[in-house]
Amino acid sequence: MSFLRDEPLDLSRLVVSVSAPERGAVACFVGTVRDHHEGKSVIRLEYSAYRPMAEVECDRIVAEARSRWDADVALEHRTGVLEIGEASVAIAAAAPHRGAAFAACRYVIEEVKRRVPIWKREHYADGTIGWVEPSQARRPPVGQAAGDASLGPVDSTSQDDWAV
Amino acid sequence: MSFLRDEPLDLSRLVVSVSAPERGAVACFVGTVRDHHEGKSVIRLEYSAYRPMAEVECDRIVAEARSRWDADVALEHRTGVLEIGEASVAIAAAAPHRGAAFAACRYVIEEVKRRVPIWKREHYADGTIGWVEPSQARRPPVGQAAGDASLGPVDSTSQDDWAV
Amino acid sequence: MTTSSQSTVTIRVLLFARYAEALGDNALALTVSSPATLASVIKLLRSQPGGEILPERPLCAVNLVQARLDSPVEAGDEIAVLPPLAGG
Amino acid sequence: MTTSSQSTVTIRVLLFARYAEALGDNALALTVSSPATLASVIKLLRSQPGGEILPERPLCAVNLVQARLDSPVEAGDEIAVLPPLAGG
């Protein structure tokens, strides 16, 4: 199975894939392409990836979420050109109870943003194009060398951060 | 618009209804019928409601979530007979950022369970039928009169409980 | 249409789920002293056949809004007595 | 296929997004002293035309796993230099 997709994502398919008679709670997340970024009007977006590593990293994240919350988890990320409103990422997490489903789902989107080697390039209404840098919150703290970021899994002591 | 539905719920329709170019994060929740409850094998489930009050209460909950998190929120709850695995409740919350989307979605499911006058009757594999009482966690604290539960909106000081 | 004498009022009460089953109907008309409160309606309801299933202080709504037991009620109000909720 | 002399090794480096754009290609072969580390590869990469865009300590992966700059690297390893991630 591939986590990276060149075709439109289908949340319903993910929900079906994780649902089961013993798991009565499904939490989902869909990220869609916004029409603006830092004051500029965006008309379309292009996602590229270091595909083999992105697949491996997605697989690790999903496995971590499954084992931590006894959930079943499905994840897909778009690559290629996306129009405004199209889904860039879709996640479904099913568990016997909703707390675990929400926590697993939230964990996966945070870790995808933090660890999966994917980049995006925005096409603006004024004809310019720009690589999107992660927001301030995701840059290394001030005083640390730029780019000296870590993408290892969160250590187990921070698991509570994901409780929802 | 009606929040109570006699036909199968469609999460995709809810996601589309809340999505917009400026809201790039959609968090969803789907509750499905489980095949067991307190050790008994469940074969089907029946939801009934005090419909006019349930509609009003759902409307209030959605309005609260919208205004607290600047989110757009859609909610549907099934009534009638449901088979195992069918969705009993579906929620989609869209916001510019994922924290707000998750918090709004979680708020709605918790409040639906706490405040909306809906009841369910389980049909068991052994031929018996039982009204489902809320779990221990949702019963009034020990020492409080049975049934003396409140279904008013949470007060504003407890808003942080819903931060995700 | 209900009519009230000088000292009593007839209140229509909606019942649901387990309570409707126990009391044998999903709506009952009860005549109580006027002025009436939710508490006086509940007290009479608990004395009906099957009414012993009701707790002393059940969840109640008047005109679609949760109401305390000391709330006054009048003929024409939509009174509902709600078993523990189980939606979601 | 790369060959190494007694004192140097040729390392193939994958580049992505902004870095690939700046260095004009999504893969480069660099010859560095042996034994080599990620740090020695990055140092040489930063001296290439366009390489000044790289931070001193970029995010790197060796064989699909994030690696520290003091990690040893050999011919045949899949070395990747990653701009700040922007998935999701």
Side-chain angles (χ1 to χ4, degrees):
Chain A
M1 199 196 80
S2 177
F3 295 100
L4 302 188
R5 298 269 167 173
D6 291 323
E7 325 81 51
L9 306 183
D10 181 355
L11 179 63
S12 302
R13 192 187 53 217
L14 296 192
V15 170
V16 167
S17 77
V18 297
S19 295
E22 72 277 15
R23 292 190 291 272
V26 187
C28 318
F29 180 77
V30 180
T32 63
V33 177
R34 273 183 290 179
D35 60 359
H36 63 278
H37 180 71
E38 293 179 356
K40 296 183 86 167
S41 177
V42 176
I43 55 172
R44 110 172 35 91
L45 209 134
E46 233 182 301
Y47 278 96
S48 59
Y50 176 20
R51 295 188 84 97
M53 183 175 175
E55 292 286 353
V56 166
E57 205 63 48
C58 285
D59 196 51
R60 285 188 194 120
I61 292 168
V62 165
E64 288 159 16
R66 282 187 177 137
S67 76
R68 283 188 189 187
W69 288 284
D70 189 23
D72 197 6
V73 177
L75 161 66
E76 292 186 355
H77 199 297
R78 260 303 281 287
T79 49
V81 175
L82 279 76
E83 305 297 326
I84 303 302
E86 277 199 274
S88 56
V89 62
I91 298 162
H97 297 287
R98 64 190 181 283
F102 273 107
C105 184
R106 185 73 196 261
Y107 177 81
V108 171
I109 182 60
E110 298 300 330
E111 293 304 290
V112 164
K113 287 181 169 275
R114 208 168 69 82
R115 291 159 55 182
V116 179
I118 292 177
W119 300 277
K120 65 180 168 188
R121 194 154 62 158
E122 288 176 339
H123 295 246
Y124 303 107
D126 63 9
T128 60
I129 294 177
W131 292 101
V132 178
E133 293 284 313
S135 67
Q136 289 294 346
R138 291 160 62 195
R139 287 180 189 151
V142 175
Q144 196 175 345
D148 192 15
S150 161
L151 46 59
V154 294
D155 63 74
S156 57
T157 57
S158 64
Q159 182 172 343
D160 288 347
D161 296 348
W162 306 105
V164 175
Chain B
M1 200 194 78
S2 178
F3 295 99
L4 302 189
R5 299 267 166 175
D6 291 323
E7 324 82 50
L9 305 183
D10 180 355
L11 179 63
S12 302
R13 193 188 51 215
L14 295 193
V15 170
V16 168
S17 77
V18 297
S19 295
E22 72 277 16
R23 292 190 291 270
V26 186
C28 318
F29 180 78
V30 180
T32 63
V33 177
R34 274 183 291 179
D35 60 358
H36 63 279
H37 180 72
E38 293 180 356
K40 296 184 86 167
S41 178
V42 176
I43 55 171
R44 115 174 28 95
L45 210 134
E46 234 183 301
Y47 278 98
S48 58
Y50 175 21
R51 294 187 86 97
M53 185 175 173
E55 292 285 354
V56 166
E57 204 64 48
C58 286
D59 196 51
R60 286 187 193 120
I61 292 167
V62 165
E64 288 159 15
R66 283 187 177 137
S67 74
R68 283 188 189 187
W69 287 284
D70 190 21
D72 198 5
V73 176
L75 161 66
E76 292 186 355
H77 199 297
R78 259 308 277 288
T79 49
V81 175
L82 279 76
E83 305 297 326
I84 302 303
E86 277 199 274
S88 56
V89 61
I91 298 162
H97 297 288
R98 64 191 181 282
F102 274 107
C105 185
R106 186 74 197 262
Y107 177 81
V108 170
I109 183 59
E110 299 301 333
E111 294 303 291
V112 164
K113 287 180 169 276
R114 208 168 69 80
R115 291 160 55 184
V116 179
I118 292 177
W119 300 277
K120 64 180 168 188
R121 196 154 61 158
E122 288 177 339
H123 296 243
Y124 304 107
D126 63 9
T128 59
I129 294 178
W131 291 102
V132 179
E133 293 284 313
S135 68
Q136 290 294 346
R138 290 160 61 197
R139 287 181 190 150
V142 175
Q144 194 175 346
D148 191 15
S150 160
L151 45 57
V154 294
D155 63 74
S156 59
T157 58
S158 65
Q159 180 171 346
D160 286 349
D161 295 349
W162 306 105
V164 175
Chain C
M1 204 59 93
T2 57
T3 55
S4 48
S5 73
Q6 284 173 308
S7 57
T8 67
V9 60
T10 300
I11 300 288
R12 196 158 175 273
V13 178
L14 303 179
L15 299 169
F16 298 91
R18 187 197 293 281
Y19 296 169
E21 211 171 66
L23 283 138
D25 206 340
N26 49 27
L28 290 178
L30 299 176
T31 301
V32 293
S33 313
S34 177
T37 63
L38 260 184
S40 58
V41 173
I42 296 301
K43 191 176 174 192
L44 184 56
L45 201 55
R46 296 182 76 222
S47 72
Q48 306 292 302
E52 65 281 358
I53 191 183
L54 292 182
E56 273 182 59
R57 303 176 61 80
L59 203 56
C60 292
V62 177
N63 300 328
L64 312 186
V65 178
Q66 185 192 9
R68 296 160 48 103
L69 289 183
D70 56 6
S71 306
V73 295
E74 299 174 10
D77 282 342
E78 181 164 319
I79 312 297
V81 187
L82 313 175
L85 310 183
Chain D
M1 205 57 98
T2 57
T3 57
S4 48
S5 74
Q6 285 173 307
S7 56
T8 65
V9 60
T10 299
I11 300 289
R12 196 160 175 272
V13 178
L14 303 180
L15 299 169
F16 298 90
R18 190 196 291 281
Y19 297 170
E21 209 171 67
L23 283 137
D25 207 340
N26 50 26
L28 290 177
L30 298 176
T31 302
V32 293
S33 313
S34 178
T37 63
L38 259 185
S40 60
V41 173
I42 296 300
K43 191 175 175 193
L44 184 55
L45 200 55
R46 295 183 78 222
S47 73
Q48 306 292 301
E52 65 281 358
I53 191 182
L54 291 181
E56 273 182 59
R57 304 177 59 78
L59 202 57
C60 292
V62 177
N63 299 329
L64 311 187
V65 177
Q66 185 192 9
R68 295 161 47 102
L69 288 183
D70 56 6
S71 306
V73 294
E74 299 175 9
D77 282 341
E78 181 165 320
I79 312 297
V81 187
L82 312 175
L85 310 183

